[in-house]
């Protein structure tokens, strides 16, 4: 009943701090300073909306996690026009509605990697900078995955991050480059909220909140499928596309992350793996904390993930699992050993994937 659900949410919000205090390794206490909070919630009876709301409530509520942030861009992972490998609209919808109810200006943005009839010719993925191809591709991806309909229903803007007004943002600790070019919209919002699908990845090992921001690189500058971007980063020594990941995470104002683990992908993701029913929503106010918790849930140790190791080298926090407080479900109660991807270097596939330019 609606009334009982409201009471449950209020109960969660007012008792979250007292009821929590479990770290990733079940050590430490709530007295540890500067702890990053991650919430893990089970999707029950197919009610994804309720799970998203509970996950946010366990962080302190939408007003708390977006305090001081008036404009928010939600970044799903829409790598291709298939529900099998993308963030479900059922996760984005309640998140957007919560933010709108809290008085925020909300938009949804993405720069997808590939789509048939655009930069995919048969099974071949091609690179392209042509705006007419990229614009048509992004429009088709939004429509096929239900995001166009959602945006109309909620009265929010859909942003094609591949093209438009592109600006350069300097990086203090640039790895692949000293600056990145991105859609001007990303410099105007107060917060980019990463909403990835939980997946393994043949280049990055896993793709979660931080890796999801690869979709912010505009194709009109870096080519669709980001093959050119990966070429340049590999020349600088990027391991597991980590330079590209960390450069973009430095460039945009990230914070709240919500991982769609309703259905996840194991094996040779991000698009050719096997789907597994996980039935979870994971939320955090730090993308690094979200990734550290997410990879532990997938049966990986965070030290196995190149982007996490590099983030720690750059001084990002949390630096260790004892600095993370888990609220909701315990990691050990919902951990699954994912089938691992056949991890390869970009230079191993750069001569056969994303080579031809159209």
């Amino acid at each position: 009943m609606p009334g009982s659900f409201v009471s449950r949410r209020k109960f969660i919000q007012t008792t979250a701090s007292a009821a929590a205090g479990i770290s990733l390794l079940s050590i430490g206490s709530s007295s540890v300073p500067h702890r990053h909070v991650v919430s893990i919630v089970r999707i029950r009876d197919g009610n994804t909306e309720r799970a998203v709301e509970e996950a946010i409530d366990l962080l302190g509520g939408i007003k708390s996690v977006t305090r001081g942030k008036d404009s928010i861009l939600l970044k799903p992972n829409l790598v291709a026009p298939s529900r099998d490998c993308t963030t479900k609209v059922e996760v984005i919808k309640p998140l957007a509605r919560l933010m709108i109810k809290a008085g925020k200006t909300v938009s949804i943005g993405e720069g997808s990697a590939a789509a048939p009839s655009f930069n995919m010719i048969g099974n071949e993925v091609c690179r392209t900078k042509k705006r007419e191809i990229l614009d048509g591709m992004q429009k088709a991806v939004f429509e096929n995955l239900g995001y166009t309909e959602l945006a109309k229903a909620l009265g929010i803007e859909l942003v094609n991050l591949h093209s438009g007004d592109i600006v350069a943002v300097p990086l203090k600790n640039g790895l692949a480059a000293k600056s990145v070019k991105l859609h001007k919209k990303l410099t105007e919002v107060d917060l980019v909220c990463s909403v990835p699908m939980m997946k393994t990845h043949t280049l990055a090992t896993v793709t979660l909140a931080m890796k999801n921001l690869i979709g912010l690189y505009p194709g009109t500058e870096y080519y669709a499928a980001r093959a050119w971007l990966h070429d340049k980063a590999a020349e600088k020594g990027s391991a597991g596309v980590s330079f590209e990941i960390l450069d973009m995470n430095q460039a945009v104002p990230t914070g709240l992350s919500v991982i769609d683990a309703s259905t996840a992908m194991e094996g040779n993701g991000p698009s050719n793996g096997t789907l597994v029913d996980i039935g979870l929503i994971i939320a955090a106010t730090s993308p690094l904390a979200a990734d550290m918790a997410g990879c532990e849930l997938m049966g990986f140790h965070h030290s196995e993930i190149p982007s996490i190791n590099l983030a720690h080298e750059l001084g990002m926090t949390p630096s260790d699992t004892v600095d993370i407080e888990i609220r909701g479900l315990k990691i050990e109660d919902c951990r699954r050993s994912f089938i691992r991807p056949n991890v390869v270097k970009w230079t191993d596939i750069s001569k056969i994937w994303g080579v031809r330019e159209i």
Side-chain angles (χ1 to χ4, degrees):
M1 294 176 62
S4 61
F5 181 46
V6 171
S7 297
R8 174 177 171 79
R9 292 185 63 198
K10 287 182 178 179
F11 175 80
I12 289 173
Q13 287 177 308
T14 56
T15 62
S17 294
I22 305 169
S23 74
L24 281 175
L25 300 181
S26 298
I27 60 179
S29 68
S30 58
S31 63
V32 177
H34 308 299
R35 303 189 84 197
H36 294 262
V37 178
V38 176
S39 63
I40 306 172
V41 173
R42 179 81 59 194
I43 299 172
R44 295 180 176 84
D45 301 320
N47 196 333
T48 302
E49 179 174 355
R50 176 176 294 188
V52 170
E53 291 175 342
E54 287 189 14
I56 297 300
D57 285 345
L58 285 168
L59 297 181
I62 195 66
K63 291 184 178 179
S64 174
V65 298
T66 61
R67 184 175 291 115
K69 314 295 184 182
D70 296 321
S71 56
I72 301 169
L73 182 137
L74 301 177
K75 167 58 176 75
N77 180 346
L78 308 181
V79 61
S82 169
R83 278 179 60 90
D84 286 351
C85 58
T86 52
T87 305
K88 308 300 180 288
V89 72
E90 291 86 355
V91 174
I92 290 286
K93 181 178 179 180
L95 193 55
R97 291 175 65 179
L98 282 172
M99 292 177 175
I100 292 169
K101 187 175 181 180
K104 313 298 180 180
T105 299
V106 180
S107 56
I108 299 171
E110 175 63 304
S112 300
S117 302
F118 296 96
N119 69 325
M120 286 184 67
I121 301 174
N123 292 324
E124 181 186 11
V125 175
C126 303
R127 63 176 74 187
T128 186
K129 292 177 71 175
K130 292 184 178 179
R131 181 166 182 170
E132 61 271 24
I133 295 176
L134 295 168
D135 288 354
M137 176 178 72
Q138 199 57 55
K139 183 174 184 291
V141 171
F142 281 144
E143 289 178 349
N144 289 343
L145 295 176
Y147 281 82
T148 302
E149 181 180 352
L150 173 65
K152 289 180 179 178
L154 297 183
I156 61 179
E157 180 185 8
L158 277 182
V159 185
N160 171 13
L161 298 176
H162 276 309
S163 64
D165 193 354
I166 305 298
V167 298
V169 175
L171 300 175
K172 181 179 292 186
N173 296 305
L175 300 163
K178 294 181 179 179
S179 65
V180 297
K181 293 182 179 179
L182 41 75
H183 197 290
K184 188 178 180 182
K185 178 76 172 182
L186 294 168
T187 68
E188 296 172 339
V189 297
D190 298 319
L191 173 69
V192 172
C193 176
S194 183
V195 193
M197 175 182 174
M198 176 181 279
K199 297 185 289 184
T200 48
H201 196 285
T202 54
L203 289 171
T205 307
V206 300
T207 173
L208 296 164
M210 293 198 300
K211 168 65 174 64
N212 186 36
L213 297 197
I214 289 287
L216 303 184
Y217 283 98
T220 50
E221 297 290 337
Y222 298 97
Y223 291 85
R226 279 93 196 184
W228 183 88
L229 170 69
H230 297 319
D231 286 344
K232 299 304 177 183
E235 292 174 3
K236 297 291 184 68
S238 178
V241 299
S242 56
F243 283 14
E244 305 93 302
I245 294 171
L246 270 297
D247 277 357
M248 187 55 78
N249 274 265
Q250 292 179 68
V252 298
T254 55
L256 178 64
S257 298
V258 179
I259 299 174
D260 174 8
S262 53
T263 302
M265 181 176 287
E266 64 182 1
N268 291 329
S271 57
N272 294 319
T274 302
L275 295 180
V276 289
D277 183 12
I278 302 299
L280 298 175
I281 297 294
I282 300 102
T285 53
S286 156
L288 178 54
D291 281 12
M292 290 173 68
C295 73
E296 295 277 349
L297 280 164
M298 300 166 78
F300 295 87
H301 189 271
H302 65 81
S303 63
E304 299 179 75
I305 315 303
S307 58
I308 293 178
N309 287 332
L310 184 57
H312 289 157
E313 289 177 15
L314 293 175
M316 290 177 63
T317 58
S319 59
D320 195 89
T321 52
V322 296
D323 300 324
I324 300 176
E325 178 185 320
I326 299 295
R327 297 178 180 175
L329 298 174
K330 298 178 182 179
I331 292 253
E332 55 266 33
D333 290 342
C334 46
R335 181 185 284 115
R336 174 194 171 96
S337 293
F338 274 49
I339 296 173
R340 292 171 175 251
N342 295 318
V343 177
V344 298
K345 298 178 181 178
W346 170 251
T347 51
D348 293 335
I349 64 170
S350 60
K351 301 296 188 295
I352 60 173
W353 190 90
V355 178
R356 182 152 64 105
E357 183 176 348
I358 57 174

